[in-house]
Amino acid sequence: RSVAQGEIVVGTAFQSAVLAQYRRLLAGDTASRTEPVSGPDEEKESPRSESHRSKILDTKLHRPQVPSLVAPRERLWALLDQAVGRPLTLVSAPAGYGKSTLVIQWLTARPHNSAWLSLDEDDNDLAVFLTYWVEAVERLFPDSLPGSASLLAANPLPPPSVLATTLVNEMAQIEDDFVLVLEDYHQIVTPAIH
């Protein structure tokens, strides 16, 4: 049905292969890397951004497509509208209740700047988590978090308090409101990330 409706369907074998490649890249296995396909704009990137982008699995930063036959949930959208001014909103329900679908529909129907980050158990490393966070925000507001990006490139990684202070201060300088969705945050169990 999904294919007939023009949606893209990715099989589990392909998903497993992509995740395996991603895990090898995070582990620093350079022998398993494939050369990225580059377009005319990518040649202009700085060496720091090329290095930074090589650690990013782009599909984690794209919100999923929602089937067109899903009924709008206006009452729940209104609750999300009320939550926009708050620093954090948790959408919680059992698996399969349509949490992600609700948020995607709401973002599609409302004119909010938004960034999406799909999380999984491999994102329990503080550097990995923050690298994705910075990338998600900088896709909306390019070069808005330069200090955070620099700290993430440091070896060893600075203490979590330094990372948090820098990130919060830089995000406070972003003048436009936006929504950052952390899908499947329940996968994160690392205290330093919390």
Side-chain angles (χ1 to χ4, degrees):
R1 272 186 282 187
S2 297
V3 172
Q5 293 174 350
E7 296 175 31
I8 297 172
V9 177
V10 179
T12 56
F14 179 76
Q15 291 174 5
S16 296
V18 169
L19 285 174
Q21 176 74 6
Y22 173 65
R23 287 184 181 115
R24 286 192 295 272
L25 287 172
L26 286 179
D29 181 3
T30 57
S32 67
R33 293 185 187 186
T34 56
E35 288 299 315
V37 177
S38 61
D41 293 336
E42 290 177 304
E43 294 174 24
K44 299 175 187 171
E45 290 186 281
S46 69
R48 184 197 76 79
S49 62
E50 287 176 18
S51 169
H52 173 75
R53 295 206 31 86
S54 70
K55 298 176 185 176
I56 301 295
L57 182 62
D58 283 332
T59 55
K60 291 173 67 76
L61 298 168
H62 296 282
R63 67 179 181 223
Q65 296 290 324
V66 174
S68 58
L69 299 176
V70 176
R73 301 192 309 200
E74 298 286 345
R75 184 184 67 78
L76 295 176
W77 291 359
L79 290 173
L80 289 173
D81 287 340
Q82 293 173 14
V84 168
R86 297 186 180 127
L88 175 68
T89 300
L90 175 67
V91 178
S92 179
Y97 272 60
K99 299 174 296 292
S100 297
T101 300
L102 168 70
V103 173
I104 294 165
Q105 283 184 303
W106 175 72
L107 289 173
T108 302
R110 304 298 198 256
H112 300 296
N113 286 324
S114 64
W116 188 275
L117 174 52
S118 295
L119 299 167
D120 58 46
E121 63 276 355
D122 293 330
D123 298 317
N124 274 290
D125 178 273
L126 180 61
V128 172
F129 179 86
L130 289 177
T131 296
Y132 276 105
W133 179 294
V134 168
E135 181 68 17
V137 172
E138 286 198 333
R139 286 189 180 194
L140 277 178
F141 307 105
D143 301 318
S144 59
L145 306 175
S148 297
S150 294
L151 290 175
L152 288 170
N155 190 8
L157 198 64
S161 60
V162 173
L163 293 167
T165 300
T166 303
L167 182 64
V168 168
N169 287 341
E170 287 183 324
M171 288 188 61
Q173 297 300 313
I174 298 173
E175 294 180 6
D176 296 335
D177 290 335
F178 67 99
V179 174
L180 174 60
V181 177
L182 303 175
E183 183 184 34
D184 292 332
Y185 189 80
H186 68 278
Q187 300 277 358
I188 303 301
V189 295
T190 304
I193 294 174
H194 295 315

